[in-house]
Amino acid sequence: MSINSALLAGVSGLIANSSALAAISDNIANTNTTAYKRTQINFANVVTSQVVKGRYSAGGVEAITRHFIGDQGLIQPAASPTDLAIAGNGFFVVTDKGTGVTTQDPRYFTRSGSFSVDADGYLVNDSGYYLQGWPADATGTIVTDPSDLSQMNSINIKDLGAQVLPTSEILINANLDKRGITGSVGDATYAGGTAFSLADYANNPATGTKPDFTFQMNIIDSGGGSRRVAMAFLKDSAAANSWHAEIYSVPASDVAGAARPGQIAAGLMTFQSDGSFDEANSTLFGGLGNPPNIALAASSAGAGLRWASGLGINAASIDMDLTKFTQFSATSAVASINPDGAPLGNVSGVEVSEDGKVTAIFDNNLVRLVAQIGLATFANPDGLNAVAGNAYSQSTRSGEYSVKEPQLGGAGSIQSSSLEASKVDLSAEFTGLITTQRAYSASSKIITTADQMLEELINMKR
């Protein structure tokens, strides 16, 4: 009967508009939820078979849920460097636990990048999901796999221990006075034999030769300790552009196995007539290599030039960049000494680059690559299944995931100190709220009207 179909159509209208109200309510409630994607209820008419000619049977309406998961939200600045937003396609890969993640544990996908460092050092967002990434090994090498999520681990930036960087390079910018102190007794005695070395003088002025110019510099050993070495120079009276040069430790007792007290290297440093360093004809370090290098064996070596056994440190190999040395008629002076290396340091911060590289910053200015964030992309992101915590799981409608490095293969870039805003437009939702209310009232009117008509029909039998 047509009246019955009208009743059913009214009921379907109530159900459909109730669903619309629920979706609008969710949207409004999540206006300030990071990276929330709005849900919309679309309506489609239901057509029934018209059995009797001349009579119309109402089919009603059905509610169809549509998720706008793939829509890009506005990226807004945030205070924390671990607040991350995705500009473009892709989702963070997350899991619900930090340690002991196995292949059996589910992985989820989210754009909610409000990550912070928890007590154990893991990056976890406001919903309790742990950020996954490809870990870097000790050499900074990262192996990525676009199809195997088990290769990713929860990113931890505190479980790195303290870091030390031994000195491996020193750049020296200095001038040696071309005028020197030529013809001095000291020069003559130095030329007479190694018993009158500059290192001897540093250890005991009564036994060595006083240099024309000396400076010291700090290096960092393998244990994070600071060691001092000196360079001493004595103008060669026999050669206008040549200097006797030595490198030795201060104190001398830091080095064992040396020919003279603490002596690490000895030889000549020569210069061109224009004042530039003549590396080819210099013999410091026993004939300069490329670059010049000083080497000390470990304390445990037991023989040869080495660190003293009491220091208990590893071998050192330090490249010396002497190309900035000059010889001009000006007072000998050091303009700058730039060694690398850093003493003991602990993690003080974290940085995330646009290509997803997570770097730990130590308080000794060292940086260490920790992991590479991967972004999962889908053929149909709107087909993902929603799970609690503003995250999603893969479905047949979404298609298979492909995890990529940010900025590659269609994946977006990562913006640090930023968050993606909710995609909810409040003005549109309030408009929808009004129209839904009216449609719901109209559907209820259908039911009351049909009920009155049925009552009239029943009364005809009395």
Side-chain angles (χ1 to χ4, degrees), residues 43-336:
F43 298 94
N45 67 313
V46 177
V47 178
T48 61
S49 176
Q50 307 301 318
V51 179
V52 180
K53 185 177 181 180
R55 294 182 184 178
Y56 184 80
S57 180
V61 65
E62 66 174 337
I64 301 173
T65 304
R66 181 177 178 186
H67 301 284
F68 293 87
I69 300 172
D71 284 6
Q72 172 76 56
L74 178 67
I75 294 179
Q76 300 175 326
S80 172
T82 57
D83 283 335
L84 308 177
I86 301 172
N89 297 325
F91 297 82
F92 297 113
V93 181
V94 294
T95 188
D96 54 11
K97 65 179 183 180
T99 58
V101 180
T102 69
T103 56
Q104 311 305 318
D105 294 309
R107 269 66 168 186
Y108 303 107
F109 310 94
T110 184
R111 289 177 68 96
S112 180
S114 53
F115 295 102
S116 60
V117 182
D118 71 1
D120 297 318
Y122 291 100
L123 289 176
V124 58
N125 71 6
D126 293 342
S127 299
Y129 288 118
Y130 293 84
L131 180 61
Q132 303 292 289
W134 294 293
D137 63 18
T139 66
T141 302
I142 295 175
V143 179
T144 63
D145 190 327
S147 59
D148 186 1
L149 295 183
S150 66
Q151 299 301 314
M152 307 177 85
N153 291 327
S154 299
I155 298 176
N156 189 302
I157 63 167
K158 289 291 181 69
D159 191 21
L160 303 174
Q163 293 288 299
V164 169
L165 179 65
T167 299
S168 62
E169 295 180 354
I170 303 177
L171 170 62
I172 305 172
N173 186 346
N175 179 66
L176 298 178
D177 192 341
K178 184 177 176 67
R179 297 166 295 187
I181 308 177
T182 58
S184 69
V185 175
D187 180 34
T189 59
Y190 185 88
T194 57
F196 303 98
S197 78
L198 309 180
D200 278 323
Y201 182 86
N203 187 59
N204 183 356
T207 61
T209 302
K210 181 180 179 180
D212 291 340
F213 179 60
T214 303
F215 64 85
Q216 295 185 3
M217 49 196 168
N218 291 322
I219 63 173
I220 304 299
D221 64 33
S222 64
S226 180
R227 304 291 161 197
R228 293 185 71 81
V229 294
M231 290 192 76
F233 304 88
L234 177 67
K235 188 74 168 63
D236 187 349
S237 59
N241 298 321
S242 184
W243 294 74
H244 302 288
E246 292 185 27
I247 299 176
Y248 51 85
S249 67
V250 181
S253 59
D254 279 357
V255 170
R260 311 306 307 165
Q263 188 183 80
I264 299 172
L268 292 175
M269 280 187 65
T270 60
F271 295 86
Q272 306 282 357
S273 57
D274 63 359
S276 62
F277 178 53
D278 183 5
E279 183 174 322
N281 293 306
S282 295
T283 61
L284 184 61
F285 312 109
L288 291 176
N290 187 17
N293 178 273
I294 59 176
L296 289 165
S299 298
S300 59
L305 188 63
R306 62 195 184 278
W307 290 114
S309 59
L311 298 179
I313 53 179
N314 293 334
S317 178
I318 304 172
D319 292 336
M320 307 283 288
D321 188 340
L322 307 177
T323 58
K324 302 298 182 182
F325 261 95
T326 59
Q327 180 195 241
F328 294 119
S329 296
T331 302
S332 295
V334 176
S336 63

Side-chain angles (χ1 to χ4, degrees), residues 362-423:
F362 291 79
D363 54 17
N364 58 0
N365 295 321
L366 282 180
V367 296
R368 175 177 168 181
L369 181 61
V370 177
Q372 165 77 64
I373 296 173
L375 296 182
T377 59
F378 297 87
N380 175 30
D382 291 347
L384 290 167
N385 290 329
V387 297
N390 201 19
Y392 307 93
S393 62
Q394 181 179 297
S395 73
T396 54
R397 291 181 60 240
S398 68
E400 289 288 332
Y401 63 81
S402 178
V403 184
K404 307 162 186 174
E405 296 177 39
Q407 300 181 321
L408 296 180
S413 63
I414 293 179
Q415 306 296 311
S416 180
S417 298
S418 302
L419 288 174
E420 185 178 356
S422 172
K423 194 59 181 168

